[in-house]
Amino acid sequence: MRHPHLDLGSVRRWELGGFPILVDGKNGKTMQRCRPGNLPQEGTGVLFLDEFPQAPLANQNIAAQLINERRIGDHQLGAGWTIVCAGNDIKHRAGTNQMPSHVKDRLLHLEIEADTNDALDYFNSKAFTPELIGFIRYRPEYLHKFDPDQKASPTPRSWERVDSVLKWKLDTLAEQQAIAGLVGAPASADFAGFLQVFRELPDPDAPFKTPEHA
């Protein structure tokens, strides 16, 4: 199954609707639109329209026909394809535009929330540092505390960047400042306290490695 990804917030109207071209007809030249390259016909998959509410009104209106009728102009979407849209809510203040009522009426709306177990499974699959995984397990409320009024908030995305900072092996002050710049002061302060305790814990393998000194 393929998964074409289309950032609707950055695509131009003619890219989504198909570039207009002139063709020779019986009564002279007429205008037609090329088939958009992101409108598949064969196979099965998910056509993912990302940043949908960030798109200008003109793009949303074109996408409305695709969502409801599964076509753009004369060009039909393949029968094996499912359309999925994603984007931020207006309350997140992420440059979101108001969706027209006819567009909202054509969608099944689902609120997606961060899940601690899913996030930890992902962190483990990417070999995140044990101290970061341990902190989120200890303080799961810090996994996602997004605040649009702050420059930085704890989110799964920002914690992934914190993992990169931890692997830089910075000095303590520089590390704390970098982490605060990613997840904000409250979360970084609690994480700093957790790190101090975590890093002072004895190595559980020490008795096996050096039993005479453990």
Side-chain angles (χ1 to χ4, degrees), residues 119-137:
L120 290 175
D121 286 344
Y122 173 77
F123 291 172
N124 279 307
S125 72
K126 297 297 182 180
F128 277 29
T129 52
E131 50 265 52
L132 176 55
I133 293 174
F135 178 71
I136 297 301
R137 194 181 301 278

Side-chain angles (χ1 to χ4, degrees), residues 16-104:
L16 183 63
F19 196 82
I21 58 173
L22 291 177
V23 297
D24 292 320
K26 293 181 179 180
N27 299 317
K29 292 186 179 296
T30 60
M31 188 188 78
Q32 296 182 2
R33 288 187 176 271
C34 297
R35 182 179 182 85
N38 45 48
L39 194 67
Q41 286 180 292
E42 306 299 329
T44 61
V46 174
L47 179 59
F48 185 47
L49 306 181
D50 198 10
E51 306 295 357
F52 188 89
Q54 274 80 358
L57 184 61
N59 287 1
Q60 292 191 37
N61 284 329
I62 292 176
Q65 182 186 39
L66 175 62
I67 294 168
N68 192 56
E69 303 175 28
R70 298 179 56 82
R71 68 181 180 86
I72 294 178
D74 296 330
H75 306 298
Q76 195 75 30
L77 177 66
W81 289 82
T82 300
I83 302 170
V84 176
C85 307
N88 292 289
D89 201 313
I90 288 181
K91 65 183 179 183
H92 298 138
R93 298 205 292 261
T96 302
N97 298 311
Q98 179 68 46
M99 283 194 294
S101 58
H102 73 286
V103 175
K104 290 189 287 187

Side-chain angles (χ1 to χ4, degrees), residues 81-185:
W81 289 82
T82 300
I83 302 170
V84 176
C85 307
N88 292 289
D89 201 313
I90 288 181
K91 65 183 179 183
H92 298 138
R93 298 205 292 261
T96 302
N97 298 311
Q98 179 68 46
M99 283 194 294
S101 58
H102 73 286
V103 175
K104 290 189 287 187
D105 187 55
R106 300 174 188 212
L107 294 169
L108 166 64
H109 299 266
L110 298 173
E111 292 283 340
I112 305 299
E113 298 180 355
D115 180 81
T116 303
N117 291 329
D118 287 343
L120 290 175
D121 286 344
Y122 173 77
F123 291 172
N124 279 307
S125 72
K126 297 297 182 180
F128 277 29
T129 52
E131 50 265 52
L132 176 55
I133 293 174
F135 178 71
I136 297 301
R137 194 181 301 278
Y138 172 61
R139 297 295 299 274
E141 68 273 18
Y142 275 128
L143 173 65
H144 190 269
K145 267 193 169 184
F146 179 72
D147 184 350
D149 292 321
Q150 300 300 320
K151 292 181 179 178
S153 301
T155 65
R157 178 167 52 194
S158 59
W159 284 119
E160 185 165 11
R161 292 171 180 163
V162 168
D163 178 69
S164 298
V165 170
L166 293 174
K167 292 172 180 174
W168 292 346
K169 304 299 182 183
L170 302 173
D171 63 73
T172 301
L173 179 59
E175 182 181 77
Q176 289 177 355
Q177 290 176 335
I179 293 174
L182 290 171
V183 298

